[in-house]
Amino acid sequence: MGNNGLYNILLVEDDPGEARLALEVLRECKNLKSVDLATDGIHALDYLYQRNQFKNVRRPDLIVLDLNLPKKDGRQVLADIKKNENLKQIPVVILTMSNNDEDIKTAYSLHANCYIIKTLDFDEYSNLLVSVVNFWFTVVTLPHLAF
Amino acid sequence: MVLKLPSLKTSTVPIIFISAFHTGELDVSKGYSLGAVDYIFFPFNEEFLLAKLRVFLDIYFLRKKEQYQTEQLSKINNDLIKANEKLEQSNKDLEQFAYVASHDLQQPLRMVSMYTQLLEKKYSNTLDEQAHEYIRNAVNGAKKMQVLITDLLTYSKISAKVKKFELAEISSVLKQTIENLQQMVEESCAIVTNDDLPAVKCDESQIVRLFQNLISNAIKFRKESEAPKIHIAYERKDGAHLFSVRDNGIGISPEYFEKIFVIFQRLDNGKYPGTGIGLSICKRIVEQHQGKIWLESKENEGSTFYFTLSN
């Protein structure tokens, strides 16, 4: 948990349009302090392991992860996170265009906390994302952990 | 006796040994074991030798001919196998292409749709009614394209993934289908009846889709004046399972019987909803089950779609 009961999100999204849109929508979420953006899998892991230019970043309380990413795929990022004793306690929300059965199965096998599919209707998409993030930030109790 | 082992080329040439000296049983059997077709002693009867030669040569040429035909056949067979492999590969490539293209098309389309909607939301106070209309048209276009892409994806998936065929009760397949179409059936007051249906080795989910497409078409293209009546009939014919879906709808003119199975072909200029992919999906599913699909229909007198599933 961040200051004043507010939470941080790490958004992993390669497409600038998608990222901008998600930021726009996430503003509506409750108890949200900040959203940081990683634009590929390598960046995401550097951020989470506080490597390179990410030495002083906060630990996110929630990770919103796209599946298809350049350099390091979202599935690999997910597998890496869930293998790490510390990082695996951060809930990971998969946010993707893919409704492919294999992708869904793979994500849950790799211990994704939930899988949501981007829709083509703005309100639908916005409701979906906001309600999922609100669930993590207002309904459930998250672990107190520092990096 | 000077003898070499026969080379491959001459191995079929008939050889007759003629000898005045080596006439013992051992010599004879050695001759035969070396591949001779006959062994005669000197002196011999000329007519007798000629008759033998004729017989052996006849057999020799017959064998040659057989060998040639076998070679030709196996060559044709090999060519066919190669052509088939090429076809299969190009089919796979095409399906892969359609799959990737559809996936990659969805992303930019989503951006178009989402940002026009965001524009409308954020600037709703400053936009006039015409601007709102333009935005609605853009969003509708994007949504229509999304449906097309999803359908294309479905179409390419059907043959990309061949599941193992398992025995399925077609009556429960039909039950599932009607459940999926429940809303449509209720709203149109459709009556669906069926013959006794068999169990068939098939990809069950595909057959559900097949019935679903055919029955929903029967409901969609109904007459305005009467509720749709749909009957699913079954018979065994020529060792295959023959099914039919008969309706009392608006019917189709014979000139379109081929065209309706072609992907994205529509006959109605947008009067009925849909992308024009349903029947081409049906065709693909039936072909995956080594069957055929066709129809009989008259305008205003309903249609009957027939399909076979191999045993």
Side-chain angles (χ1 to χ4, degrees):
Chain A
M1 192 184 288
N3 300 328
N4 311 322
L6 293 179
Y7 296 96
N8 303 310
I9 291 179
L10 172 65
L11 172 67
V12 190
E13 172 65 68
D14 62 308
D15 186 280
E18 282 289 354
R20 180 79 177 71
L21 201 63
L23 289 174
E24 195 74 41
V25 168
L26 286 170
R27 274 190 205 169
E28 309 291 319
C29 296
K30 289 174 188 153
N31 293 346
L32 178 69
K33 188 177 161 207
S34 72
V35 182
D36 282 349
L37 178 69
T39 52
D40 65 51
I42 304 251
H43 270 161
L45 288 174
D46 279 353
Y47 184 103
L48 290 167
Y49 286 105
Q50 291 179 304
R51 293 187 294 232
N52 304 327
Q53 73 264 47
F54 300 108
K55 287 229 160 61
N56 300 311
V57 295
R58 294 156 296 211
R59 177 189 200 273
D61 301 287
L62 184 72
I63 299 166
V64 178
L65 178 66
D66 186 16
L67 274 189
N68 296 313
L69 295 169
K71 289 186 191 166
K72 202 159 201 168
D73 192 47
R75 297 159 192 85
Q76 290 170 281
V77 174
L78 177 63
D80 197 310
I81 293 170
K82 294 300 182 188
K83 262 187 249 159
N84 180 290
E85 276 308 315
N86 184 2
L87 294 178
K88 75 177 178 192
Q89 300 180 33
I90 308 173
V92 178
V93 173
I94 302 294
L95 180 63
T96 174
M97 286 290 282
S98 166
N99 59 359
N100 187 298
D101 289 342
E102 277 305 307
D103 284 341
I104 298 168
K105 225 193 261 175
T106 307
Y108 283 111
S109 312
L110 292 172
H111 308 291
N113 295 78
C114 70
Y115 188 105
I116 52 181
I117 298 165
K118 294 170 183 169
T119 66
L120 216 63
D121 184 90
F122 186 87
D123 290 334
E124 230 177 280
Y125 170 70
S126 167
N127 288 340
L128 205 65
L129 191 52
V130 170
S131 63
V132 167
V133 173
N134 280 348
F135 169 76
W136 290 106
F137 290 172
T138 65
V139 180
V140 306
T141 308
L142 291 171
H144 287 267
L145 274 168
F147 260 132
Chain B
M1 191 175 345
V2 182
L3 272 166
K4 279 184 188 167
L5 280 175
S7 79
L8 211 59
K9 205 174 167 187
T10 55
S11 66
T12 52
V13 176
I15 294 164
I16 302 174
F17 283 124
I18 303 173
S19 178
F21 303 105
H22 305 282
T23 54
E25 257 182 39
L26 267 175
D27 297 319
V28 176
S29 84
K30 196 179 173 192
Y32 279 121
S33 71
L34 283 165
V37 294
D38 207 348
Y39 200 110
I40 31 185
F41 307 137
F42 204 78
F44 52 84
N45 178 312
E46 213 171 285
E47 284 301 312
F48 183 65
L49 179 62
L50 280 174
K52 279 195 169 203
L53 276 178
R54 250 177 252 124
V55 172
F56 286 128
L57 281 176
D58 277 354
I59 295 173
Y60 172 69
F61 286 120
L62 215 64
R63 270 203 194 145
K64 269 272 189 207
K65 204 174 150 193
E66 259 176 24
Q67 197 185 346
Y68 176 76
Q69 280 170 344
T70 313
E71 275 168 17
Q72 284 301 304
L73 263 177
S74 96
K75 193 174 167 291
I76 290 168
N77 201 26
N78 277 336
D79 288 351
L80 271 174
I81 288 171
K82 270 184 200 153
N84 200 31
E85 278 170 1
K86 261 192 188 166
L87 253 174
E88 272 177 18
Q89 187 55 45
S90 91
N91 253 346
K92 265 188 202 155
D93 289 350
L94 259 175
E95 279 148 16
Q96 182 64 18
F97 169 77
Y99 189 75
V100 171
S102 313
H103 260 288
D104 291 353
L105 283 173
Q106 298 210 40
Q107 176 69 26
L109 184 65
R110 192 177 119 84
M111 288 297 95
V112 173
S113 168
M114 294 303 257
Y115 276 98
T116 23
Q117 288 174 75
L118 190 60
L119 187 70
E120 190 179 28
K121 270 182 193 307
K122 278 209 154 179
Y123 299 93
S124 128
N125 295 331
T126 46
L127 294 173
D128 63 6
E129 182 44 37
Q130 201 171 11
H132 281 296
E133 193 197 325
Y134 291 170
I135 288 174
R136 271 199 299 279
N137 289 343
V139 171
N140 283 342
K143 281 187 181 162
K144 261 184 206 155
M145 186 152 165
Q146 159 85 358
V147 177
L148 279 171
I149 291 173
T150 315
D151 282 353
L152 202 58
L153 208 59
T154 312
Y155 183 74
S156 73
K157 268 185 196 164
I158 288 172
S159 31
K161 255 194 199 168
V162 180
K163 272 206 227 154
K164 249 191 162 180
F165 287 3
E166 277 165 14
L167 203 64
E169 286 293 339
I170 300 301
S171 57
S172 64
V173 166
L174 189 63
K175 201 172 153 228
Q176 174 69 52
T177 309
I178 305 292
E179 271 172 35
N180 294 352
L181 294 172
Q182 197 182 2
Q183 197 188 351
M184 203 178 185
V185 170
E186 278 172 9
E187 280 172 8
S188 63
C189 301
I191 297 164
V192 185
T193 54
N194 59 276
D195 289 355
D196 279 343
L197 298 169
V200 176
K201 258 197 157 181
C202 62
D203 180 334
E204 194 173 341
S205 66
Q206 285 196 3
I207 302 302
V208 169
R209 185 181 285 278
L210 173 63
F211 274 114
Q212 198 167 312
N213 286 359
L214 292 175
I215 294 171
S216 68
N217 272 353
I219 296 176
K220 189 155 76 173
F221 300 104
R222 64 179 177 263
K223 283 182 192 161
E224 277 171 28
S225 54
E226 50 186 315
K229 272 188 203 151
I230 299 152
H231 183 73
I232 290 95
Y234 168 76
E235 64 178 295
R236 285 235 36 156
K237 204 171 187 191
D238 306 328
H241 302 284
L242 171 66
F243 295 88
S244 64
V245 178
R246 188 181 68 227
D247 66 50
N248 59 343
I250 57 173
I252 302 157
S253 161
E255 58 191 294
Y256 301 119
F257 282 7
E258 296 284 322
K259 204 180 166 192
I260 54 170
F261 291 106
V262 179
I263 191 165
F264 293 144
Q265 289 286 345
R266 309 192 50 183
L267 309 177
D268 64 279
N269 290 327
K271 187 183 167 197
Y272 297 91
T275 53
I277 204 170
L279 284 174
S280 47
I281 287 178
C282 290
K283 187 162 184 256
R284 267 215 148 164
I285 292 173
V286 171
E287 281 168 356
Q288 289 249 304
H289 290 78
Q290 278 83 48
K292 280 186 180 155
I293 185 165
W294 70 97
L295 73 150
E296 285 171 6
S297 180
K298 265 187 186 171
E299 263 184 295
N300 290 316
E301 287 180 32
S303 313
T304 308
F305 282 83
Y306 296 89
F307 65 88
T308 58
L309 300 177
S310 81
N311 207 7

Coordinates of all heavy atoms in Angstrom, one line a residue, chain B residues 128-177:
Chain B
D128 N -21.5 19.7 -32.7 CA -22.9 19.8 -33.1 C -23.4 18.4 -33.5 O -22.7 17.4 -33.5 CB -23.0 20.9 -34.2 CG -22.3 20.5 -35.4 OD1 -21.8 19.3 -35.5 OD2 -22.3 21.3 -36.4
E129 N -24.7 18.4 -33.8 CA -25.4 17.2 -34.1 C -24.8 16.4 -35.3 O -24.6 15.2 -35.3 CB -26.9 17.4 -34.3 CG -27.7 16.2 -34.6 CD -27.5 15.0 -33.7 OE1 -27.2 15.2 -32.5 OE2 -27.5 13.9 -34.2
Q130 N -24.3 17.2 -36.3 CA -23.7 16.6 -37.4 C -22.4 15.9 -37.1 O -22.1 14.7 -37.5 CB -23.4 17.7 -38.5 CG -23.3 17.0 -39.9 CD -23.2 18.1 -41.0 OE1 -23.1 19.3 -40.7 NE2 -23.3 17.6 -42.2
A131 N -21.6 16.5 -36.2 CA -20.4 15.9 -35.8 C -20.6 14.6 -35.0 O -19.9 13.6 -35.2 CB -19.6 16.8 -34.9
H132 N -21.7 14.6 -34.2 CA -22.1 13.4 -33.5 C -22.4 12.3 -34.5 O -22.1 11.1 -34.3 CB -23.2 13.6 -32.6 CG -22.8 14.3 -31.3 ND1 -22.0 13.7 -30.4 CD2 -23.1 15.5 -30.8 CE1 -21.8 14.5 -29.3 NE2 -22.4 15.6 -29.6
E133 N -23.2 12.7 -35.6 CA -23.6 11.7 -36.6 C -22.4 11.1 -37.3 O -22.3 9.9 -37.5 CB -24.5 12.4 -37.6 CG -25.2 11.4 -38.5 CD -25.8 12.1 -39.7 OE1 -26.2 13.2 -39.6 OE2 -25.8 11.4 -40.8
Y134 N -21.4 11.9 -37.6 CA -20.2 11.5 -38.3 C -19.5 10.4 -37.4 O -19.0 9.4 -37.8 CB -19.2 12.6 -38.6 CG -19.7 13.6 -39.6 CD1 -19.0 14.8 -39.8 CD2 -20.8 13.3 -40.4 CE1 -19.5 15.7 -40.8 CE2 -21.2 14.2 -41.4 CZ -20.6 15.4 -41.6 OH -21.0 16.2 -42.5
I135 N -19.4 10.8 -36.1 CA -18.7 9.9 -35.2 C -19.4 8.6 -35.1 O -18.8 7.5 -35.1 CB -18.6 10.6 -33.8 CG1 -17.5 11.7 -33.9 CG2 -18.2 9.6 -32.7 CD1 -17.4 12.5 -32.6
R136 N -20.8 8.6 -35.0 CA -21.6 7.4 -34.9 C -21.3 6.5 -36.1 O -21.1 5.3 -36.0 CB -23.0 7.7 -34.8 CG -23.6 7.9 -33.4 CD -25.1 7.7 -33.4 NE -25.8 8.7 -34.2 CZ -26.0 10.0 -33.8 NH1 -25.6 10.4 -32.6 NH2 -26.6 10.8 -34.6
N137 N -21.2 7.1 -37.3 CA -20.9 6.4 -38.5 C -19.6 5.7 -38.5 O -19.4 4.5 -38.9 CB -21.0 7.2 -39.8 CG -22.4 7.7 -40.1 OD1 -23.4 7.1 -39.6 ND2 -22.6 8.7 -40.9
A138 N -18.6 6.4 -38.0 CA -17.2 5.9 -37.9 C -17.2 4.7 -36.9 O -16.7 3.7 -37.2 CB -16.3 7.0 -37.4
V139 N -17.9 4.9 -35.8 CA -17.9 3.8 -34.7 C -18.7 2.6 -35.3 O -18.2 1.5 -35.1 CB -18.6 4.3 -33.4 CG1 -18.8 3.2 -32.5 CG2 -17.7 5.4 -32.8
N140 N -19.8 2.8 -35.9 CA -20.5 1.7 -36.5 C -19.7 0.9 -37.5 O -19.7 -0.3 -37.6 CB -21.8 2.2 -37.2 CG -22.9 2.4 -36.1 OD1 -22.7 2.0 -35.0 ND2 -23.9 3.2 -36.4
G141 N -19.0 1.7 -38.4 CA -18.1 1.1 -39.4 C -17.1 0.2 -38.7 O -16.9 -1.0 -39.1
A142 N -16.5 0.7 -37.7 CA -15.4 -0.1 -37.0 C -16.0 -1.3 -36.4 O -15.4 -2.4 -36.4 CB -14.8 0.8 -35.9
K143 N -17.3 -1.2 -35.8 CA -17.9 -2.3 -35.2 C -18.2 -3.4 -36.2 O -18.0 -4.6 -36.0 CB -19.1 -1.9 -34.4 CG -18.7 -1.3 -33.1 CD -19.9 -1.0 -32.2 CE -19.3 -0.4 -30.8 NZ -20.4 0.3 -30.1
K144 N -18.7 -3.0 -37.4 CA -19.0 -3.9 -38.4 C -17.8 -4.7 -38.9 O -17.8 -5.9 -39.1 CB -19.6 -3.2 -39.6 CG -21.1 -3.3 -39.6 CD -21.7 -2.7 -40.9 CE -23.1 -2.2 -40.6 NZ -23.5 -1.1 -41.5
M145 N -16.7 -3.9 -39.0 CA -15.4 -4.5 -39.4 C -15.0 -5.5 -38.4 O -14.4 -6.6 -38.7 CB -14.4 -3.5 -39.7 CG -13.1 -4.1 -40.2 SD -12.3 -2.9 -41.2 CE -10.7 -3.7 -41.4
Q146 N -15.2 -5.2 -37.1 CA -14.8 -6.1 -36.0 C -15.5 -7.4 -36.2 O -14.9 -8.5 -36.1 CB -15.1 -5.5 -34.7 CG -15.3 -6.4 -33.5 CD -13.9 -6.7 -32.9 OE1 -12.9 -6.2 -33.4 NE2 -13.9 -7.5 -31.9
V147 N -16.8 -7.4 -36.5 CA -17.6 -8.6 -36.7 C -17.0 -9.4 -37.9 O -16.8 -10.7 -37.8 CB -19.1 -8.3 -36.9 CG1 -19.8 -9.6 -37.2 CG2 -19.6 -7.6 -35.7
L148 N -16.7 -8.7 -39.0 CA -16.1 -9.4 -40.1 C -14.8 -10.1 -39.8 O -14.6 -11.2 -40.2 CB -15.8 -8.3 -41.2 CG -17.0 -7.9 -42.1 CD1 -16.6 -6.8 -43.0 CD2 -17.5 -9.1 -43.0
I149 N -14.0 -9.4 -39.0 CA -12.7 -10.0 -38.6 C -12.9 -11.2 -37.7 O -12.2 -12.2 -37.9 CB -11.8 -8.9 -37.9 CG1 -11.4 -7.8 -38.9 CG2 -10.6 -9.6 -37.4 CD1 -10.7 -6.7 -38.3
T150 N -13.8 -11.1 -36.8 CA -14.1 -12.2 -35.9 C -14.6 -13.4 -36.7 O -14.1 -14.5 -36.5 CB -15.2 -11.9 -34.9 OG1 -14.9 -10.6 -34.4 CG2 -15.2 -12.8 -33.7
D151 N -15.4 -13.2 -37.7 CA -16.0 -14.2 -38.5 C -14.8 -14.9 -39.4 O -14.8 -16.1 -39.5 CB -17.0 -13.7 -39.5 CG -18.4 -13.5 -38.8 OD1 -18.4 -13.9 -37.6 OD2 -19.3 -13.0 -39.3
L152 N -14.0 -14.0 -39.9 CA -12.9 -14.5 -40.7 C -12.0 -15.4 -39.8 O -11.5 -16.4 -40.3 CB -12.1 -13.3 -41.2 CG -11.2 -13.5 -42.4 CD1 -12.1 -14.0 -43.6 CD2 -10.5 -12.2 -42.8
L153 N -11.8 -15.0 -38.6 CA -11.0 -15.7 -37.7 C -11.6 -17.1 -37.4 O -10.9 -18.1 -37.4 CB -10.9 -14.9 -36.4 CG -9.7 -15.1 -35.5 CD1 -8.4 -14.7 -36.2 CD2 -9.8 -14.2 -34.2
T154 N -12.9 -17.1 -37.2 CA -13.6 -18.3 -37.0 C -13.4 -19.3 -38.2 O -13.1 -20.4 -38.0 CB -15.1 -18.1 -36.8 OG1 -15.3 -17.0 -35.9 CG2 -15.9 -19.3 -36.3
Y155 N -13.6 -18.7 -39.4 CA -13.5 -19.4 -40.6 C -12.1 -20.1 -40.7 O -11.9 -21.2 -41.0 CB -13.7 -18.5 -41.8 CG -13.7 -19.2 -43.1 CD1 -14.8 -20.0 -43.5 CD2 -12.7 -18.9 -44.0 CE1 -14.8 -20.6 -44.8 CE2 -12.7 -19.5 -45.3 CZ -13.7 -20.3 -45.6 OH -13.7 -20.9 -46.9
S156 N -11.1 -19.3 -40.4 CA -9.7 -19.8 -40.6 C -9.4 -20.8 -39.5 O -8.6 -21.7 -39.7 CB -8.7 -18.7 -40.6 OG -8.5 -18.1 -39.3
K157 N -10.0 -20.7 -38.4 CA -9.8 -21.6 -37.3 C -10.3 -23.0 -37.5 O -9.8 -24.0 -37.1 CB -10.4 -21.1 -36.0 CG -9.5 -20.2 -35.1 CD -10.2 -19.9 -33.8 CE -9.6 -18.8 -33.1 NZ -10.5 -18.2 -32.1
I158 N -11.4 -23.1 -38.3 CA -12.1 -24.4 -38.5 C -11.1 -25.4 -39.0 O -11.1 -26.5 -38.5 CB -13.3 -24.2 -39.4 CG1 -14.4 -23.5 -38.7 CG2 -13.8 -25.6 -39.9 CD1 -15.5 -23.1 -39.6
S159 N -10.3 -25.1 -40.1 CA -9.5 -26.1 -40.6 C -8.1 -26.0 -40.0 O -7.3 -27.0 -40.1 CB -9.4 -26.1 -42.1 OG -9.6 -24.8 -42.5
A160 N -7.8 -24.9 -39.3 CA -6.4 -24.8 -38.7 C -6.3 -25.9 -37.6 O -5.2 -26.4 -37.3 CB -6.2 -23.4 -38.2
K161 N -7.4 -26.1 -36.9 CA -7.4 -27.0 -35.8 C -8.3 -28.2 -36.1 O -9.5 -28.1 -35.9 CB -7.9 -26.3 -34.5 CG -6.8 -25.9 -33.6 CD -7.4 -25.5 -32.3 CE -6.4 -24.7 -31.5 NZ -7.0 -24.0 -30.3
V162 N -7.7 -29.3 -36.4 CA -8.5 -30.5 -36.6 C -8.5 -31.3 -35.3 O -7.5 -31.8 -34.9 CB -8.0 -31.4 -37.8 CG1 -8.9 -32.6 -37.9 CG2 -8.0 -30.6 -39.1
K163 N -9.7 -31.4 -34.7 CA -9.8 -32.1 -33.5 C -10.0 -33.6 -33.8 O -10.3 -34.0 -34.9 CB -11.0 -31.6 -32.7 CG -10.7 -30.5 -31.8 CD -11.6 -30.5 -30.6 CE -12.2 -29.1 -30.4 NZ -13.5 -29.1 -29.8
K164 N -9.8 -34.4 -32.8 CA -10.1 -35.8 -33.0 C -11.6 -36.0 -33.0 O -12.3 -35.5 -32.2 CB -9.5 -36.6 -31.8 CG -8.3 -37.5 -32.1 CD -8.0 -38.3 -31.0 CE -7.2 -39.5 -31.4 NZ -6.9 -40.4 -30.3
F165 N -12.0 -36.8 -34.0 CA -13.5 -37.1 -34.1 C -13.9 -38.1 -33.0 O -13.2 -39.1 -32.9 CB -13.8 -37.6 -35.5 CG -13.7 -36.6 -36.6 CD1 -13.3 -35.3 -36.3 CD2 -14.1 -36.9 -37.9 CE1 -13.3 -34.3 -37.2 CE2 -14.0 -35.9 -38.9 CZ -13.6 -34.6 -38.5
E166 N -15.0 -37.8 -32.4 CA -15.5 -38.7 -31.4 C -17.0 -39.0 -31.6 O -17.7 -38.1 -32.2 CB -15.3 -38.2 -30.0 CG -13.9 -38.5 -29.5 CD -13.5 -37.7 -28.3 OE1 -14.4 -37.0 -27.6 OE2 -12.3 -37.6 -27.9
L167 N -17.5 -40.1 -31.2 CA -18.9 -40.5 -31.4 C -19.7 -39.5 -30.6 O -19.6 -39.3 -29.4 CB -19.1 -41.9 -30.9 CG -20.3 -42.6 -31.5 CD1 -20.1 -42.8 -33.0 CD2 -20.5 -43.9 -30.8
A168 N -20.7 -38.9 -31.3 CA -21.6 -37.9 -30.6 C -23.0 -38.2 -31.0 O -23.3 -38.5 -32.2 CB -21.2 -36.5 -31.0
E169 N -23.9 -38.1 -30.1 CA -25.4 -38.3 -30.3 C -25.8 -37.0 -31.0 O -25.8 -35.9 -30.4 CB -26.2 -38.5 -29.0 CG -26.0 -39.9 -28.4 CD -26.6 -41.0 -29.3 OE1 -27.5 -40.7 -30.1 OE2 -26.2 -42.1 -29.1
I170 N -26.3 -37.1 -32.3 CA -26.7 -35.9 -33.0 C -28.0 -35.3 -32.3 O -28.1 -34.0 -32.4 CB -26.9 -36.2 -34.5 CG1 -25.6 -36.7 -35.1 CG2 -27.4 -34.9 -35.2 CD1 -24.5 -35.7 -35.0
S171 N -28.8 -36.1 -31.6 CA -29.9 -35.5 -30.9 C -29.5 -34.5 -29.8 O -30.1 -33.5 -29.6 CB -30.8 -36.6 -30.4 OG -30.1 -37.4 -29.5
S172 N -28.4 -34.9 -29.1 CA -27.9 -34.0 -28.1 C -27.2 -32.7 -28.7 O -27.2 -31.6 -28.1 CB -27.1 -34.7 -27.0 OG -25.9 -35.1 -27.6
V173 N -26.6 -33.0 -29.9 CA -26.0 -31.8 -30.6 C -27.1 -30.8 -31.0 O -26.9 -29.6 -30.8 CB -25.3 -32.3 -31.9 CG1 -24.9 -31.2 -32.8 CG2 -24.0 -33.1 -31.5
L174 N -28.2 -31.4 -31.4 CA -29.3 -30.5 -31.8 C -29.9 -29.8 -30.6 O -30.3 -28.6 -30.7 CB -30.4 -31.4 -32.5 CG -31.5 -30.6 -33.2 CD1 -31.0 -29.8 -34.3 CD2 -32.6 -31.6 -33.8
K175 N -30.0 -30.5 -29.5 CA -30.5 -29.9 -28.3 C -29.7 -28.7 -27.9 O -30.2 -27.6 -27.6 CB -30.5 -31.0 -27.2 CG -31.5 -30.7 -26.1 CD -31.6 -31.9 -25.1 CE -32.0 -31.3 -23.8 NZ -31.2 -31.8 -22.7
Q176 N -28.4 -28.9 -27.9 CA -27.4 -27.9 -27.6 C -27.6 -26.7 -28.5 O -27.6 -25.5 -28.1 CB -26.0 -28.4 -27.7 CG -24.9 -27.4 -27.6 CD -24.8 -26.9 -26.1 OE1 -24.7 -27.7 -25.2 NE2 -24.8 -25.6 -25.9
T177 N -27.8 -27.0 -29.8 CA -28.0 -26.0 -30.8 C -29.2 -25.1 -30.5 O -29.1 -23.9 -30.6 CB -28.1 -26.6 -32.2 OG1 -27.1 -27.5 -32.5 CG2 -28.1 -25.5 -33.3

